[in-house]
Amino acid sequence: MLRFMITAVAAAGAMLATAGSQAQSEGRWALVIHGGAGVIERGAMTPEREAEYRDAMNTALVRGEAVLNSGGSALDAIEAVIHGMEDDPLFNAGRGAVFTAAGRNELDASIMDGASLEAGAVAGVTQVRHPISLARAVMDNSRHVMLQGEGAETFAREQELEIVPPAYFFTERRWAAMERSLGALGLPIPSRPDGAPAPTGVDHGELDRDAREHRFGTVGVVALDRAGNIAAGTSTGGTTAKRWGRVGDSPIIGAGTYANNASCGVSATGTGEYFIRLTVASRICVLVEFQGLDLQAASDQVIRDELTAMGGDGGIVALTPGGEIAWSFNTPGMYRARLSEGGEPVVAIYGDED
C-alpha cells in the first residue's frame, strides 16, 4: 500500500521528576510500553505478583528489542510486543480480558502508522486471538479504519488470522471479578461460557487487589524504528461488567492511540469515556507540533491537568521521532517500561519510580 511519508520533526528533550523522559540520537530505535494504570501502591501487591509484572514488562521490551534491533519496522515491533501481552493473563487484553455483564470477552484494539497517518481498529471481537493483528489487517488490507463485531470477525477469517473459541480467553479470576461486580449492581450472573474449565477457588484477597490494581489493564506500545518512523498500538478487554456493547477509547484513533512523524506517538490507558472526550492521544501530539511543548510537558498538561480537571483518570506512554520518551499518569501507579537502542531497560510500577 502506498504510504506518503511525512517529514520527521524532533522535539526538544526535557525531563520532569514526576515521570520518565529520555532522549536519544537520530537513527536509533526506541520503545515504550504500558500495561495499565490504577491504584497500584507499594505493599498492596504480594512480592510474587510484583515480580510477575516486572518480568512480564521486561519480556515485552525484549520482544520489541528483537524486532527493532534486526531492522524491523515500528509497526512490526508494536504487533510483536502486543501479541505477547494479549497472550498473558496478567493483562486485560486477549487471554486476560475482563468479562462483560453478559459473560463475554469483547476485545478492542487499534494501531497507527506515523509515517502515513494510516490506521486500523477493531471493537467488540470475541474470537480473534490477536486483535492487534486484526487492527493492522484493517489498516493494511481494507479501505476502512474501524470494523466491529461480527463483521470484523468475518474479515479476520478472510485474512486467515487465528480464530479461537471464546472460552480460550477465559480466566477464573476475571470471571470471579465479573460475578462480584454484577452482585454489587444487583444484576443477574450469566451462565458460565461453553468450554470454560470447571470452577476453581479464587483468593478473595487477590480479587480485592485486582479491583484496585486492574481498574485499567489496557496494554499499549509506541515504537520508533531506525528509519525514523513512529507507530502506536493499543489493545484491551474493556471494563469489568460493561453493558450494552460499551466501547472505550482504545480503538478510537486520536483518543487511545495516535502516531504522527511530525510530532509524536501515544498509547493511553484509563477511563475511556474521558479520554474520548478529551481526544487525549492526539491532543498531546498537537501540543508538541503546534505549541512547541516538549513531550513530557505536553503529556503532563493533558493528563495531570486537563484530564484530572475533567474527573478522568489513567495515563499514557509517548515517544517522538527524536527518541524522546515520556509517560504520565494521575493514578498511584502504572505498569510501564522503556528502552532506547544502546541504553538500559527501565521497568516501573509505582508512582515514585523513574
Side-chain angles (χ1 to χ4, degrees), residues 84-116:
M85 300 179 89
E86 287 173 337
D87 285 342
D88 189 336
L90 285 174
F91 301 106
N92 176 20
R95 197 161 203 174
V98 300
F99 286 89
T100 69
R104 292 156 48 97
N105 303 111
E106 295 181 357
L107 313 175
D108 307 329
S110 61
I111 194 167
M112 187 167 182
D113 180 3
S116 64

Short mmCIF file of all heavy atoms in Angstrom, two decimals, residues 84-116:
data_model
loop_
_atom_site.label_atom_id
_atom_site.label_comp_id
_atom_site.label_asym_id
_atom_site.label_seq_id
_atom_site.Cartn_x
_atom_site.Cartn_y
_atom_site.Cartn_z
N GLY A 84 2.41 -10.79 22.64
CA GLY A 84 2.77 -11.44 23.88
C GLY A 84 1.90 -11.00 25.04
O GLY A 84 1.53 -11.81 25.90
N MET A 85 1.56 -9.72 25.08
CA MET A 85 0.72 -9.22 26.17
C MET A 85 -0.72 -9.69 26.03
O MET A 85 -1.41 -9.90 27.04
CB MET A 85 0.81 -7.69 26.22
CG MET A 85 2.23 -7.20 26.46
SD MET A 85 2.42 -5.40 26.50
CE MET A 85 2.12 -5.10 28.25
N GLU A 86 -1.19 -9.88 24.81
CA GLU A 86 -2.53 -10.42 24.60
C GLU A 86 -2.61 -11.89 25.03
O GLU A 86 -3.70 -12.38 25.33
CB GLU A 86 -2.95 -10.28 23.14
CG GLU A 86 -3.28 -8.85 22.74
CD GLU A 86 -3.53 -8.69 21.25
OE1 GLU A 86 -3.06 -9.53 20.45
OE2 GLU A 86 -4.20 -7.71 20.87
N ASP A 87 -1.50 -12.58 25.06
CA ASP A 87 -1.47 -13.98 25.48
C ASP A 87 -1.19 -14.14 26.97
O ASP A 87 -1.23 -15.26 27.49
CB ASP A 87 -0.39 -14.74 24.70
CG ASP A 87 -0.81 -15.05 23.27
OD1 ASP A 87 -2.03 -14.99 22.97
OD2 ASP A 87 0.08 -15.36 22.45
N ASP A 88 -0.90 -13.06 27.66
CA ASP A 88 -0.51 -13.12 29.06
C ASP A 88 -1.71 -12.78 29.95
O ASP A 88 -2.20 -11.64 29.93
CB ASP A 88 0.63 -12.13 29.33
CG ASP A 88 1.24 -12.29 30.71
OD1 ASP A 88 0.55 -12.80 31.61
OD2 ASP A 88 2.40 -11.89 30.89
N PRO A 89 -2.19 -13.72 30.77
CA PRO A 89 -3.38 -13.45 31.60
C PRO A 89 -3.19 -12.37 32.65
O PRO A 89 -4.16 -11.96 33.28
CB PRO A 89 -3.66 -14.80 32.26
CG PRO A 89 -2.79 -15.80 31.65
CD PRO A 89 -1.72 -15.10 30.89
N LEU A 90 -1.98 -11.89 32.85
CA LEU A 90 -1.77 -10.79 33.79
C LEU A 90 -2.46 -9.51 33.32
O LEU A 90 -2.84 -8.67 34.14
CB LEU A 90 -0.28 -10.51 33.97
CG LEU A 90 0.53 -11.48 34.81
CD1 LEU A 90 2.01 -11.13 34.75
CD2 LEU A 90 0.04 -11.51 36.26
N PHE A 91 -2.61 -9.36 32.01
CA PHE A 91 -3.11 -8.10 31.45
C PHE A 91 -4.54 -8.24 30.96
O PHE A 91 -4.99 -9.32 30.57
CB PHE A 91 -2.19 -7.66 30.31
CG PHE A 91 -0.77 -7.46 30.72
CD1 PHE A 91 0.21 -8.37 30.37
CD2 PHE A 91 -0.41 -6.37 31.51
CE1 PHE A 91 1.53 -8.20 30.76
CE2 PHE A 91 0.91 -6.19 31.91
CZ PHE A 91 1.87 -7.11 31.54
N ASN A 92 -5.24 -7.11 30.95
CA ASN A 92 -6.62 -7.07 30.47
C ASN A 92 -6.62 -6.85 28.95
O ASN A 92 -6.99 -5.79 28.45
CB ASN A 92 -7.38 -5.96 31.18
CG ASN A 92 -8.80 -5.81 30.65
OD1 ASN A 92 -9.35 -6.71 30.03
ND2 ASN A 92 -9.38 -4.65 30.89
N ALA A 93 -6.18 -7.87 28.25
CA ALA A 93 -6.14 -7.86 26.79
C ALA A 93 -6.03 -9.31 26.36
O ALA A 93 -5.28 -10.08 26.96
CB ALA A 93 -4.95 -7.05 26.28
N GLY A 94 -6.76 -9.71 25.33
CA GLY A 94 -6.66 -11.09 24.88
C GLY A 94 -7.04 -12.07 25.97
O GLY A 94 -8.12 -11.99 26.56
N ARG A 95 -6.13 -12.99 26.28
CA ARG A 95 -6.45 -14.08 27.19
C ARG A 95 -6.73 -13.63 28.62
O ARG A 95 -7.38 -14.36 29.38
CB ARG A 95 -5.32 -15.11 27.18
CG ARG A 95 -5.73 -16.45 27.76
CD ARG A 95 -4.81 -17.56 27.36
NE ARG A 95 -5.47 -18.85 27.45
CZ ARG A 95 -4.93 -19.99 27.06
NH1 ARG A 95 -3.72 -19.98 26.52
NH2 ARG A 95 -5.58 -21.12 27.19
N GLY A 96 -6.29 -12.48 29.00
CA GLY A 96 -6.57 -11.98 30.34
C GLY A 96 -7.71 -10.98 30.39
O GLY A 96 -7.87 -10.29 31.40
N ALA A 97 -8.50 -10.89 29.33
CA ALA A 97 -9.54 -9.87 29.25
C ALA A 97 -10.62 -10.06 30.30
O ALA A 97 -10.96 -11.18 30.69
CB ALA A 97 -10.16 -9.87 27.85
N VAL A 98 -11.20 -8.94 30.73
CA VAL A 98 -12.31 -8.98 31.66
C VAL A 98 -13.59 -9.39 30.94
O VAL A 98 -13.64 -9.40 29.70
CB VAL A 98 -12.50 -7.61 32.35
CG1 VAL A 98 -11.25 -7.22 33.12
CG2 VAL A 98 -12.86 -6.53 31.33
N PHE A 99 -14.62 -9.70 31.72
CA PHE A 99 -15.90 -10.13 31.16
C PHE A 99 -16.92 -9.01 31.20
O PHE A 99 -16.96 -8.20 32.14
CB PHE A 99 -16.45 -11.32 31.95
CG PHE A 99 -15.73 -12.61 31.67
CD1 PHE A 99 -14.62 -12.96 32.41
CD2 PHE A 99 -16.15 -13.46 30.66
CE1 PHE A 99 -13.94 -14.15 32.16
CE2 PHE A 99 -15.48 -14.64 30.40
CZ PHE A 99 -14.37 -14.99 31.15
N THR A 100 -17.78 -8.99 30.19
CA THR A 100 -18.91 -8.07 30.18
C THR A 100 -20.01 -8.60 31.11
O THR A 100 -19.93 -9.71 31.63
CB THR A 100 -19.50 -7.95 28.77
OG1 THR A 100 -20.14 -9.19 28.42
CG2 THR A 100 -18.42 -7.64 27.73
N ALA A 101 -21.06 -7.81 31.29
CA ALA A 101 -22.19 -8.23 32.10
C ALA A 101 -22.89 -9.45 31.50
O ALA A 101 -23.58 -10.20 32.21
CB ALA A 101 -23.17 -7.09 32.26
N ALA A 102 -22.71 -9.67 30.21
CA ALA A 102 -23.31 -10.83 29.55
C ALA A 102 -22.41 -12.06 29.61
O ALA A 102 -22.75 -13.11 29.05
CB ALA A 102 -23.61 -10.50 28.09
N GLY A 103 -21.25 -11.95 30.28
CA GLY A 103 -20.35 -13.09 30.40
C GLY A 103 -19.51 -13.35 29.17
O GLY A 103 -19.11 -14.49 28.91
N ARG A 104 -19.20 -12.30 28.43
CA ARG A 104 -18.40 -12.41 27.22
C ARG A 104 -17.11 -11.62 27.37
O ARG A 104 -17.05 -10.64 28.11
CB ARG A 104 -19.17 -11.86 26.01
CG ARG A 104 -20.37 -12.67 25.58
CD ARG A 104 -21.39 -11.83 24.81
NE ARG A 104 -20.82 -11.02 23.74
CZ ARG A 104 -20.78 -11.37 22.45
NH1 ARG A 104 -21.26 -12.56 22.09
NH2 ARG A 104 -20.29 -10.57 21.54
N ASN A 105 -16.10 -12.03 26.61
CA ASN A 105 -14.89 -11.22 26.46
C ASN A 105 -15.03 -10.47 25.14
O ASN A 105 -15.08 -11.10 24.08
CB ASN A 105 -13.63 -12.07 26.44
CG ASN A 105 -13.48 -12.94 27.66
OD1 ASN A 105 -13.59 -14.17 27.58
ND2 ASN A 105 -13.23 -12.34 28.80
N GLU A 106 -15.13 -9.16 25.19
CA GLU A 106 -15.24 -8.34 23.98
C GLU A 106 -13.98 -7.49 23.86
O GLU A 106 -13.69 -6.66 24.73
CB GLU A 106 -16.49 -7.47 24.04
CG GLU A 106 -17.77 -8.29 24.03
CD GLU A 106 -19.03 -7.45 24.07
OE1 GLU A 106 -18.91 -6.20 24.16
OE2 GLU A 106 -20.14 -8.03 24.01
N LEU A 107 -13.23 -7.71 22.80
CA LEU A 107 -11.88 -7.17 22.68
C LEU A 107 -11.80 -6.03 21.67
O LEU A 107 -12.43 -6.09 20.60
CB LEU A 107 -10.93 -8.30 22.26
CG LEU A 107 -11.07 -9.61 23.05
CD1 LEU A 107 -10.16 -10.69 22.46
CD2 LEU A 107 -10.75 -9.39 24.52
N ASP A 108 -11.02 -5.01 22.02
CA ASP A 108 -10.82 -3.85 21.17
C ASP A 108 -9.32 -3.64 20.95
O ASP A 108 -8.51 -3.92 21.83
CB ASP A 108 -11.36 -2.57 21.83
CG ASP A 108 -12.80 -2.69 22.30
OD1 ASP A 108 -13.58 -3.44 21.67
OD2 ASP A 108 -13.14 -2.02 23.30
N ALA A 109 -8.96 -3.09 19.79
CA ALA A 109 -7.55 -2.79 19.53
C ALA A 109 -7.44 -1.75 18.42
O ALA A 109 -8.37 -1.59 17.61
CB ALA A 109 -6.78 -4.04 19.13
N SER A 110 -6.30 -1.06 18.39
CA SER A 110 -6.04 -0.11 17.30
C SER A 110 -4.55 0.01 17.09
O SER A 110 -3.74 -0.27 17.98
CB SER A 110 -6.65 1.26 17.60
OG SER A 110 -6.07 1.82 18.77
N ILE A 111 -4.18 0.46 15.88
CA ILE A 111 -2.79 0.67 15.52
C ILE A 111 -2.72 1.82 14.53
O ILE A 111 -3.66 2.03 13.75
CB ILE A 111 -2.17 -0.62 14.92
CG1 ILE A 111 -0.65 -0.54 14.87
CG2 ILE A 111 -2.77 -0.94 13.56
CD1 ILE A 111 0.01 -1.88 14.60
N MET A 112 -1.62 2.61 14.59
CA MET A 112 -1.49 3.74 13.68
C MET A 112 -0.04 3.90 13.25
O MET A 112 0.88 3.74 14.06
CB MET A 112 -1.98 5.03 14.34
CG MET A 112 -2.01 6.23 13.40
SD MET A 112 -2.93 7.62 14.10
CE MET A 112 -2.83 8.79 12.73
N ASP A 113 0.14 4.23 11.98
CA ASP A 113 1.45 4.43 11.36
C ASP A 113 1.73 5.92 11.26
O ASP A 113 1.03 6.66 10.56
CB ASP A 113 1.43 3.79 9.97
CG ASP A 113 2.74 3.93 9.23
OD1 ASP A 113 3.71 4.48 9.81
OD2 ASP A 113 2.80 3.50 8.06
N GLY A 114 2.75 6.40 11.98
CA GLY A 114 3.06 7.82 11.98
C GLY A 114 3.61 8.34 10.68
O GLY A 114 3.58 9.55 10.42
N ALA A 115 4.13 7.45 9.82
CA ALA A 115 4.68 7.88 8.54
C ALA A 115 3.59 8.26 7.54
O ALA A 115 3.74 9.21 6.77
CB ALA A 115 5.56 6.78 7.95
N SER A 116 2.50 7.53 7.54
CA SER A 116 1.45 7.71 6.54
C SER A 116 0.14 8.23 7.12
O SER A 116 -0.76 8.61 6.36
CB SER A 116 1.16 6.38 5.85
OG SER A 116 0.65 5.45 6.80
#
